[in-house]
Amino acid sequence: MILIHLVLLLGPGGGHHDGNRGASVAGHQTAMLDLIGVELLCLVAASAALRIARTSTPQLNPHH
């Protein structure tokens, strides 16, 4: 999702609506950057949760 929103932000017209220019485009770009930031925070939180769950679960070692 991050890559999709980044492509939409950097693509022609700066977003979904090519006809809109001026303040609306700047507001749309800011909203897209905010959305990408939220998606990155979700990615970091999910990664941390998986790492914590993996380290707190005892690993069974059949060789010992």
Side-chain angles (χ1 to χ4, degrees), residues 3 6 22 43 52 63-64:
L3 289 176
L6 187 60
L43 176 67
I52 289 169
H63 297 290
H64 289 126

Side-chain angles (χ1 to χ4, degrees), residues 21-37:
R21 297 281 179 236
S24 64
V25 171
H28 185 260
Q29 289 176 343
T30 301
M32 290 292 279
L33 286 173
D34 290 344
L35 179 60
I36 291 171

